[in-house]
Amino acid sequence: MPRLTTDDFHPEVLKLFDHYVHGRISRRAFLDGASRFTVGAATSTILLEALRPKYAEATQVQPTDARISGGFVELESPDGNGRVRGYLVKPAGKRGRIPGVLVVHENRGLNPHIQDVARRMALENFVAFAPDALFTLGGWPGDEDKAIELFRKLDRVKTFQDCLASARYLQGLPEVNRKVGCIGFCFGGGATNFVATRMPELGAAVPFYGRAPDASAVPNIKAPLLLHYAENDEGTNALWPGYEAALKAAGKQYEMHSYPGTVHGFHNDTTPRYNAEAATLAWKRTTAFLNRHLRG
């Protein structure tokens, strides 16, 4: 069966799904709204299931891959939720110190996709750490509806502090050369922007379609930024002009790319919102950017 893409869904259905996964509307509101676009047996429930992640089908690097070593660790986060649990992945058999990269998930917790992204980053010769924002609420629940509901209960300020604590933990690991970058997707993109405003020694920041930080915090950014945006992402893109104006006013180093024909979440290869061409290019740009700023 051919893989579904955004072309298989009405644009309004994609907008409704975006609102749903970001907690702006309920599951029932999505189903009611999507019912206007169903044809025959294609009920709104089927549409929702079709848009959900298919983790097993999209894994690129298996947890048992001999080229990496990984496992879960916990750390203290006194200014956040107290403790953080995350997935730490390293290149297997690597000698010498190498850079670290914090990988921050979307607004569903540390699901199998983000664990896979962390493993991909380890194969790029980085020590990768992916924290789970839902840890204090029981962790990623294995169900998208439950994950979205749990995410609504988070204290965003404390959760961002957990990400900052995670970056500092990564920086202090003996196998890391003290140079750390941060990448994040959706919620994680906003977290990446936050870490950039709070961690002067951050070496590079790569937010994917992330919420912009407060303009007043932009002068605190020291790290070079590589920002990825989807062309069709009204909510996130509406914040970009103000963010760019603040970056320019503060004389910050940044590079922004908007990918034609894409929607929010285009890098996530477990859903039909995935755009292979854009995701491949964005990843190539990301790894080149991290190598340029974190090596040596």
Side-chain angles (χ1 to χ4, degrees):
M1 181 178 177
R3 180 173 184 153
L4 295 175
T5 71
T6 53
D7 292 337
D8 296 302
F9 300 88
H10 192 285
E12 290 301 318
V13 171
L14 295 173
K15 287 183 181 179
L16 285 167
F17 184 72
D18 187 67
H19 289 321
Y20 165 62
V21 297
H22 287 93
R24 302 185 196 114
I25 63 174
S26 66
R27 183 177 186 275
R28 171 48 54 193
F30 171 85
L31 295 175
D32 290 344
S35 65
R36 295 181 289 127
F37 304 97
T38 58
V39 178
T43 67
S44 53
T45 300
I46 292 175
L47 282 177
L48 179 57
E49 290 305 313
L51 285 162
R52 288 189 187 280
K54 307 294 188 295
Y55 296 120
E57 298 174 12
T59 300
Q60 293 188 26
V61 185
Q62 295 295 332
T64 54
D65 194 306
R67 295 172 295 173
I68 59 169
S69 62
F72 290 90
V73 299
E74 291 186 24
L75 59 127
E76 300 291 331
S77 178
D79 295 325
N81 287 293
R83 289 189 69 77
V84 182
R85 183 176 189 262
Y87 185 49
L88 181 65
V89 198
K90 312 169 189 177
K94 181 65 180 177
R95 295 183 178 181
R97 303 174 80 183
I98 58 176
V101 176
L102 191 72
V103 181
V104 190
H105 55 66
E106 301 155 314
N107 65 332
R108 266 95 78 204
L110 183 55
N111 58 35
H113 166 64
I114 294 299
Q115 293 178 40
D116 188 38
V117 173
R119 292 192 292 268
R120 298 175 204 175
M121 191 57 68
L123 287 185
E124 298 287 350
N125 198 30
F126 295 98
V127 176
F129 183 64
D132 186 358
L134 292 179
F135 170 60
T136 55
L137 297 178
W140 181 69
D143 177 274
E144 289 293 291
D145 290 334
K146 291 180 181 177
I148 292 169
E149 285 297 321
L150 285 174
F151 226 84
R152 290 174 179 150
K153 299 177 181 179
L154 288 176
D155 181 318
R156 184 65 61 97
V157 174
K158 289 184 178 181
T159 302
F160 276 2
Q161 287 291 340
D162 288 343
C163 293
L164 182 58
S166 297
R168 295 201 183 283
Y169 159 79
L170 182 60
Q171 184 184 38
L173 290 176
E175 55 267 60
V176 172
N177 66 356
R178 301 290 296 173
K179 294 187 177 181
V180 170
C182 184
I183 72 170
F185 308 87
C186 180
F187 161 81
T192 298
N193 282 320
F194 171 83
V195 171
T197 67
R198 295 297 185 93
M199 188 175 179
E201 65 272 35
L202 188 71
V206 187
F208 280 72
Y209 28 85
R211 187 174 182 84
D214 290 338
S216 61
V218 170
N220 298 331
I221 296 174
K222 305 299 181 185
L225 300 172
L226 173 63
L227 305 107
H228 301 296
Y229 285 88
E231 180 183 38
N232 304 305
D233 187 5
E234 294 178 3
T236 304
N237 292 352
L239 301 175
W240 169 242
Y243 190 12
E244 183 174 37
L247 289 168
K248 287 182 175 179
K252 300 304 176 182
Q253 182 181 350
Y254 73 93
E255 179 183 336
M256 189 279 271
H257 297 279
S258 178
Y259 295 83
T262 60
V263 299
H264 189 97
F266 71 81
H267 186 269
N268 188 332
D269 55 356
T270 70
T271 82
R273 297 192 292 175
Y274 174 62
N275 183 298
E277 181 179 0
T280 300
L281 178 56
W283 186 256
K284 181 179 180 180
R285 285 170 169 164
T286 296
T287 54
F289 185 80
L290 293 172
N291 280 318
R292 185 162 66 250
H293 292 288
L294 301 180
R295 302 289 178 191

